[in-house]
Amino acid sequence: MEERLDRLLAHLGLGTRKEVGKLIRAGAVRVDGAVVRDRGFKLDPEAVLIELNGEPLRYARYFHVLLHKPAGVLTATRSESETTVLDLLPNALWRDDLKPVGRLDRDTEGLLLLTNHGELLHRLTHPRWKVAKVYLAELEVPLPPDARERFAAGIASFAPAELEVLAPQRARVTLREGKHRQVRRMFAALGAPVVYLRRERFGPLALEGLAPGEARPLLKGELAALYEAVKLEP
Ligand code: URA
């Protein structure tokens, strides 16, 4: 598929469209060995060799990033007034077509996957695939003794969910659906409001090793496991 050169370089995280336009005009970019100064030049990134200042660029059509979202950040691609999850990505991981897979509330922290693969995003968020999401919740008051059974039976019209009580005011919950503020609403229905919420796992992906605000590209094995979880051909 053909793309404009400036858009492609911006996707690769080399700068804004304006910044990469300057690089192109300055003659820093070669396509198949020839300098190209036209920022609108159309090319198929998978069929040509692109070099920036003599260094070959590696292009991957699909790109996936794992972020440890901190509290206080909006799960959105842009906002006039607030920091979004995309604002947290370092240049090397930023591409303007990345989208968050599902949503974490502003006050929730934890694992958030970002991808530019539309079909993967669609399947991972579609109820049909029942991708498991695991959350750690801390509660304002102790849980009632029948909390686990009530979650298992399906509380407040949500589908049955697994609850592991770790302490009177701390529990881990596994969901296979993803409705708006679902975990908070489930615990509120038990009379134990959530005071802290973190997503620890999303399908085969785990948060371990990432500090709040940190991001990294998905590893090959993780990507294979994700594709397998939603029966997508790599
Ligand atoms: N459930 C919630 O209540 N909040 C989240 O951010 C995610 C799941």
Side-chain angles (χ1 to χ4, degrees):
M1 201 174 72
E2 294 214 318
E3 253 189 270
R4 281 176 62 107
L5 181 59
D6 58 354
R7 187 172 153 78
L8 176 73
L9 296 183
H11 273 173
L12 288 171
L14 298 175
T16 62
R17 291 276 279 275
K18 198 166 159 197
E19 286 163 353
V20 300
K22 280 192 195 154
L23 289 173
I24 296 167
R25 269 197 309 282
V29 180
R30 286 175 186 263
V31 177
D32 281 341
V35 172
V36 174
R37 290 178 197 270
D38 171 10
R39 55 188 291 177
F41 184 81
K42 289 271 183 57
L43 75 175
D44 177 349
E46 288 175 14
V48 296
L49 172 70
I50 309 167
E51 291 164 281
L52 175 65
N53 296 322
E55 293 289 324
L57 296 179
R58 281 197 298 139
Y59 177 79
R61 177 168 301 288
Y62 295 127
F63 194 59
H64 322 272
V65 173
L66 212 59
L67 170 71
H68 186 158
K69 176 194 170 300
V73 172
L74 206 61
T75 306
T77 51
R78 50 178 63 93
S79 160
E80 292 288 303
S81 53
E82 293 190 56
T83 306
T84 70
V85 288
L86 275 187
D87 294 333
L88 298 181
L89 301 184
N91 275 351
L93 295 182
W94 186 89
R95 282 175 58 153
D96 75 349
D97 54 353
L98 279 175
K99 298 201 169 50
V101 178
R103 220 159 260 280
L104 291 178
D105 304 333
R106 190 189 281 94
D107 294 333
T108 302
E109 36 177 87
L111 192 159
L112 186 70
L113 176 67
L114 298 129
T115 183
N116 67 345
H117 191 316
E119 181 60 21
L120 180 67
L121 186 151
H122 174 70
R123 292 196 188 193
L124 288 170
T125 49
H126 196 284
R128 168 177 173 196
W129 297 98
K130 296 191 167 40
V131 174
K133 286 153 281 245
V134 180
Y135 296 87
L136 179 76
E138 287 179 10
L139 311 155
E140 199 174 296
V141 297
L143 285 162
D146 60 351
R148 203 167 70 87
E149 290 71 28
R150 289 171 68 189
F151 266 58
I155 193 162
S157 80
F158 292 114
E162 291 151 42
L163 186 73
E164 186 189 350
V165 179
L166 304 169
Q169 288 174 232
R170 171 186 270 246
R172 181 170 286 127
V173 56
T174 303
L175 307 181
R176 286 187 175 72
E177 54 181 359
K179 306 223 167 98
H180 183 59
R181 296 180 74 80
Q182 181 164 347
V183 175
R184 293 176 197 276
R185 285 157 67 197
M186 289 167 99
F187 281 105
L190 280 185
V194 168
V195 291
Y196 171 82
L197 189 60
R198 181 169 78 220
R199 181 152 71 191
E200 297 184 322
R201 298 189 69 92
F202 181 85
L205 309 177
L207 189 59
E208 281 136 38
L210 275 184
E214 275 184 1
R216 64 166 172 80
L218 216 55
L219 304 173
K220 267 197 177 150
E222 291 173 326
L223 186 59
L226 264 189
Y227 275 54
E228 169 62 27
V230 294
K231 300 284 174 273
L232 202 59
E233 290 295 317

